[in-house]
Amino acid sequence: MSKKLSIKELAKLAGVSTATVSRILNEKGGYSSETEEKVLRIVKETGFSINVAAKALRTNISKSIGVVVPDITNEFFSRIVRQISLYFLAYNYSVFVCDSNESLEIEKKYISELQSRNIDGIIYVQGQNNNGLEDMDLKIPVVYIDRSPVNADVVIESDNFLGGVIVADELLRLGCKNLIAIRDIHNLSSINDRIEGFISRLREENVESKIFYIDNPTVEDGKIKMQEIIDSGYKFDGVFASNDIVSIGVYNTLKNNGIAVPKDVKLIGFDGNELIKSCFDFLLTIDQDVEKMAVEGCKILYEMMTEDISIKTRIKIPVSLNRGRGESNGTFN
Amino acid sequence: MSKKLSIKELAKLAGVSTATVSRILNEKGGYSSETEEKVLRIVKETGFSINVAAKALRTNISKSIGVVVPDITNEFFSRIVRQISLYFLAYNYSVFVCDSNESLEIEKKYISELQSRNIDGIIYVQGQNNNGLEDMDLKIPVVYIDRSPVNADVVIESDNFLGGVIVADELLRLGCKNLIAIRDIHNLSSINDRIEGFISRLREENVESKIFYIDNPTVEDGKIKMQEIIDSGYKFDGVFASNDIVSIGVYNTLKNNGIAVPKDVKLIGFDGNELIKSCFDFLLTIDQDVEKMAVEGCKILYEMMTEDISIKTRIKIPVSLNRGRGESNGTFN
């Protein structure tokens, strides 16, 4: 029999799922010997061959995925990478990570290279200046985490809008009247949603707020902007820093100006950076469930790769307020 | 002419270096048109073919290296990765990063996979339980950074022994009489050297010290051990934490016990972790020149890959004491 079957046709003939066929052909276990015999018999009878098996035979390489992140030195992204690696380890996949250094050009280069090297799927965290890969010819499944272009099929992200709402609620609960937010200028969906949630909740309560912009979400930019605000004489008693790294700069500048946190000014960051929490266990932040985001992305990517189906979904992972040892301890400085 | 020449023979015939031949064949520029004509004429006359060109033609993939690190969430390793990516970007190489999660088994899997995918060279930071790849059949150049097996050909590392000496000197200069060090139990060359430098310098001055061991170099283990030491009543006025992450645990436990740093106890860490410095700009640490380590490793790997030569060398990168804003400010707590 010369006609080549697709994995779907083979699965249909055998009366099993494509995933089961894939597992049997790759000798991964998790099926009965009866099912195995049945599938292998059909493979033999039909002269079945699939790209994947042929490719593996030809190159003797195993399954793998690629992960592209914009800044591997940022704990938020490296935690995503760590969790993805752990997830796919259980399936005996290799995970190759590429650091795009916030450059769309480099992202495209890596995604093209990963495809050339027979990678099976990609998890993609975009840089802050980018707008997706609409002009790229992607032949493999892609899952976006955290940041998403408008045309993305699969996006896993924190509920950033909710995070902004929680920040506003908490600052109001703590008695703040004059609120400011410090964010970077980049047009990222994640940061936009946080600030939008923050502002919209304050509007409901008829509380004014002012947004200050910094070039980049760094400690240094947070420091400089906070000093500028203090020097300008602008009055505030609550600060929302759009991530924890910025909040460190804000905190240190407040402290150096003799302004106590949280006595004089309340401060809330965003991310739940573990190392910063270890240093300052009294700072408030919004915890992102980074591990859950990564796992949900992995699950969908794995399904797309093994079931040979296309999926269109946008999943929002809940966030939560972390008060650290917050108000229980008055001696923060 | 049917005999196939090696790149070395071709270079000899043309009277140029193998690197120049490589650059000409890959159209990378940086040579005169005269040299180019000469080499291409010999290529044509001899029917020269090399593996690299054939491979690139066959697969249409570009040059690349792999980087294997034990814990991508540790800033020390992610900074190495970032610098390697930047270095090779300039040569238009792709850099694929693998997180081994401190497992020798996973390291071996990744190194084998990287070879299978036509990677040109590997930069390898071993896990803390590992002893190299002596049983692996490596066909591509490998450069070790930070941690090294005894049989490694190329190793780039900080001068950890010197770092330990500097810590001892500084603690003595600050007037400490009763010194302790807290380190993890893993048999890593880097940590062993730090502690050895520390002890040997103290011996020269006839100062006693005591080493305490923790299971892992984490904030939590640092905290717990410091509390145990305090509870035991052991007297100390200077602490060497074998990395900055451990020093955070030590610092917070001292603070929670009403022991002021640096008034009551002096504390020095190791690494020069940038985020920790941003949080606690008064903590003392030994700065490792992470970027220089990475660049030196890249230079040698690039030479090995393009010159087709084997190199045997061990390079120690100087370290330096970082006093933060140290003694200039008395109000550390």
Side-chain angles (χ1 to χ4, degrees):
Chain A
M1 189 172 166
S2 65
K3 182 181 169 292
K4 284 181 182 174
L5 292 178
S6 76
I7 192 166
K8 274 185 180 169
E9 289 168 314
L10 176 63
K12 206 174 164 187
L13 271 175
V16 298
S17 73
T18 52
T20 303
V21 171
S22 171
R23 293 186 74 77
I24 290 170
L25 293 177
N26 290 294
E27 300 180 2
K28 298 276 176 169
Y31 39 79
S32 69
S33 59
E34 201 177 283
T35 307
E36 185 183 12
E37 271 172 38
K38 191 173 171 186
V39 169
L40 292 181
R41 185 169 44 76
I42 298 174
V43 167
K44 212 177 161 188
E45 285 172 1
T46 58
F48 176 82
S49 88
I50 54 168
N51 284 342
V52 172
K55 193 195 293 171
L57 200 68
R58 203 167 59 237
T59 58
N60 197 28
I61 56 182
S62 65
K63 295 283 205 170
S64 63
I65 68 152
V67 183
V68 180
V69 294
D71 179 5
I72 197 67
T73 66
N74 182 324
E75 185 197 277
F76 177 74
F77 302 119
S78 61
R79 277 170 65 194
I80 290 177
V81 165
R82 159 57 51 100
Q83 191 61 43
I84 293 169
S85 295
L86 286 174
Y87 185 93
F88 278 101
L89 192 63
Y91 291 96
N92 206 29
Y93 273 59
S94 296
V95 177
F96 299 107
V97 183
C98 306
D99 181 46
S100 70
N101 198 22
E102 299 278 6
S103 153
L104 178 58
E105 192 193 342
I106 299 174
E107 286 175 10
K108 286 185 170 179
K109 174 178 155 68
Y110 274 128
I111 284 170
S112 162
E113 281 294 318
L114 288 165
Q115 281 206 106
S116 300
R117 285 170 206 274
N118 295 327
I119 269 31
D120 302 286
I122 289 176
I123 294 182
Y124 181 17
V125 187
Q126 289 194 295
Q128 56 198 9
N129 298 305
N130 309 343
N131 289 305
L133 304 166
E134 60 283 349
D135 56 338
M136 281 193 80
D137 182 23
L138 285 172
K139 298 176 194 75
I140 53 176
V142 176
V143 167
Y144 289 87
I145 293 186
D146 183 41
R147 303 162 170 189
S148 59
V150 283
N151 63 335
D153 283 336
V154 181
V155 179
I156 319 291
E157 60 191 344
S158 280
D159 193 339
N160 288 293
F161 186 91
L162 173 65
V165 169
I166 294 174
V167 169
D169 273 338
E170 179 70 3
L171 289 173
L172 293 174
R173 195 186 70 79
L174 292 168
C176 298
K177 307 283 183 212
N178 300 298
L179 296 172
I180 63 173
I182 299 177
R183 61 159 293 177
D184 63 270
I185 51 167
H186 302 286
N187 188 32
L188 276 178
S189 55
S190 53
I191 305 294
N192 289 345
D193 290 352
R194 285 171 206 178
I195 297 297
E196 213 178 297
F198 178 71
I199 294 173
S200 69
R201 183 71 190 90
L202 292 180
R203 281 217 188 100
E204 287 173 11
E205 301 292 328
N206 288 315
V207 173
E208 285 300 309
S209 64
K210 191 166 161 67
I211 313 299
F212 291 90
Y213 291 83
I214 52 182
D215 286 340
N216 289 298
T218 60
V219 174
E220 202 50 34
D221 279 14
K223 265 187 188 170
I224 293 169
K225 182 55 69 180
M226 193 67 254
Q227 190 62 53
E228 275 178 27
I229 298 169
I230 293 169
D231 291 345
S232 76
Y234 191 89
K235 293 294 164 213
F236 61 93
D237 54 7
V239 183
F240 173 25
S242 64
N243 79 17
D244 289 339
I245 291 173
V246 172
S247 88
I248 291 309
V250 169
Y251 172 77
N252 280 329
T253 297
L254 288 170
K255 194 178 160 192
N256 292 340
N257 283 270
I259 301 168
V261 176
K263 195 167 75 63
D264 305 325
V265 165
K266 321 297 177 196
L267 169 64
I268 305 185
F270 208 106
D271 276 356
N273 183 299
E274 292 297 332
L275 189 53
I276 292 176
K277 281 188 208 168
S278 293
C279 291
F280 294 137
D281 60 1
F282 52 82
L283 281 184
L284 276 71
T285 187
I286 299 295
D287 279 341
Q288 295 199 64
D289 196 341
V290 179
E291 283 68 29
K292 190 167 173 61
M293 285 169 75
V295 165
E296 291 301 318
C298 289
K299 274 186 195 164
I300 292 178
L301 186 67
Y302 187 73
E303 207 179 329
M304 288 163 84
M305 293 188 303
T306 55
E307 302 276 351
D308 197 18
I309 50 174
S310 64
I311 295 178
K312 213 174 156 77
T313 186
R314 180 176 283 261
I315 299 179
K316 284 194 195 291
I317 308 292
V319 297
S320 58
L321 177 66
N322 185 319
R323 291 200 177 95
R325 54 179 179 82
E327 294 161 297
S328 65
N329 187 322
T331 58
F332 293 162
N333 285 293
Chain B
M1 193 171 163
S2 66
K3 183 180 169 291
K4 283 182 183 173
L5 292 177
S6 75
I7 192 165
K8 274 185 183 170
E9 289 167 312
L10 175 64
K12 206 174 165 188
L13 272 177
V16 299
S17 73
T18 52
T20 302
V21 171
S22 171
R23 294 185 72 77
I24 290 170
L25 294 177
N26 289 293
E27 300 179 2
K28 298 275 178 174
Y31 38 80
S32 69
S33 58
E34 199 178 285
T35 306
E36 185 182 12
E37 270 172 37
K38 191 174 175 186
V39 169
L40 292 181
R41 183 169 44 77
I42 297 174
V43 166
K44 210 176 161 188
E45 285 173 2
T46 58
F48 176 84
S49 88
I50 53 168
N51 284 341
V52 171
K55 193 195 295 173
L57 199 68
R58 203 167 59 237
T59 58
N60 196 29
I61 56 182
S62 67
K63 293 285 204 171
S64 63
I65 68 153
V67 183
V68 181
V69 294
D71 178 6
I72 197 67
T73 66
N74 183 325
E75 185 197 279
F76 177 74
F77 301 119
S78 61
R79 276 170 66 193
I80 290 177
V81 165
R82 158 59 52 100
Q83 190 61 44
I84 293 169
S85 295
L86 285 175
Y87 185 93
F88 277 102
L89 191 63
Y91 291 96
N92 206 27
Y93 273 59
S94 295
V95 177
F96 299 106
V97 182
C98 306
D99 180 45
S100 70
N101 200 20
E102 299 278 6
S103 153
L104 179 57
E105 193 193 341
I106 300 174
E107 286 175 9
K108 286 184 171 180
K109 175 179 154 65
Y110 273 128
I111 284 169
S112 163
E113 282 292 319
L114 287 166
Q115 282 206 106
S116 300
R117 285 171 206 272
N118 295 327
I119 265 42
D120 302 287
I122 290 175
I123 293 182
Y124 181 17
V125 186
Q126 289 194 295
Q128 56 199 10
N129 297 304
N130 309 342
N131 289 305
L133 304 167
E134 61 284 350
D135 57 338
M136 281 192 79
D137 183 23
L138 284 172
K139 298 175 193 76
I140 53 175
V142 177
V143 166
Y144 289 87
I145 292 186
D146 183 41
R147 303 162 170 188
S148 60
V150 283
N151 63 335
D153 283 336
V154 181
V155 179
I156 319 290
E157 60 191 345
S158 280
D159 193 340
N160 287 293
F161 186 91
L162 172 65
V165 170
I166 294 174
V167 170
D169 273 337
E170 178 70 3
L171 290 173
L172 293 174
R173 193 185 72 78
L174 292 168
C176 298
K177 307 281 183 215
N178 301 297
L179 297 171
I180 64 173
I182 299 178
R183 62 160 292 177
D184 63 271
I185 52 166
H186 302 285
N187 187 33
L188 275 178
S189 55
S190 53
I191 306 294
N192 290 345
D193 290 352
R194 286 171 206 177
I195 297 297
E196 213 176 295
F198 178 71
I199 294 173
S200 69
R201 183 71 192 91
L202 294 179
R203 280 218 187 98
E204 287 174 9
E205 300 291 328
N206 287 315
V207 174
E208 283 301 310
S209 63
K210 192 166 162 66
I211 314 298
F212 292 90
Y213 291 83
I214 52 181
D215 287 339
N216 290 298
T218 60
V219 175
E220 203 49 34
D221 279 13
K223 266 188 188 169
I224 293 169
K225 183 53 70 180
M226 193 69 252
Q227 191 62 54
E228 276 179 27
I229 298 169
I230 293 169
D231 291 346
S232 76
Y234 190 90
K235 294 293 165 213
F236 61 93
D237 53 7
V239 184
F240 174 26
S242 64
N243 78 19
D244 289 338
I245 291 172
V246 172
S247 88
I248 291 308
V250 169
Y251 171 77
N252 279 329
T253 297
L254 288 170
K255 193 178 161 192
N256 292 340
N257 283 270
I259 300 169
V261 176
K263 195 167 76 62
D264 305 325
V265 164
K266 320 297 178 197
L267 170 64
I268 305 185
F270 209 106
D271 276 355
N273 183 299
E274 292 297 332
L275 189 54
I276 292 176
K277 281 188 208 168
S278 294
C279 290
F280 294 135
D281 60 2
F282 51 83
L283 281 183
L284 277 69
T285 187
I286 299 294
D287 279 341
Q288 296 199 63
D289 196 340
V290 179
E291 282 68 30
K292 189 167 173 61
M293 286 169 74
V295 164
E296 290 301 318
C298 289
K299 274 186 194 165
I300 293 178
L301 186 68
Y302 187 73
E303 207 179 331
M304 289 163 84
M305 293 189 304
T306 54
E307 303 276 351
D308 196 18
I309 50 175
S310 64
I311 295 178
K312 215 173 156 74
T313 186
R314 181 175 283 262
I315 298 178
K316 285 192 194 293
I317 309 291
V319 296
S320 58
L321 178 66
N322 185 319
R323 290 199 177 97
R325 51 179 181 84
E327 295 161 295
S328 65
N329 187 321
T331 59
F332 294 163
N333 285 290

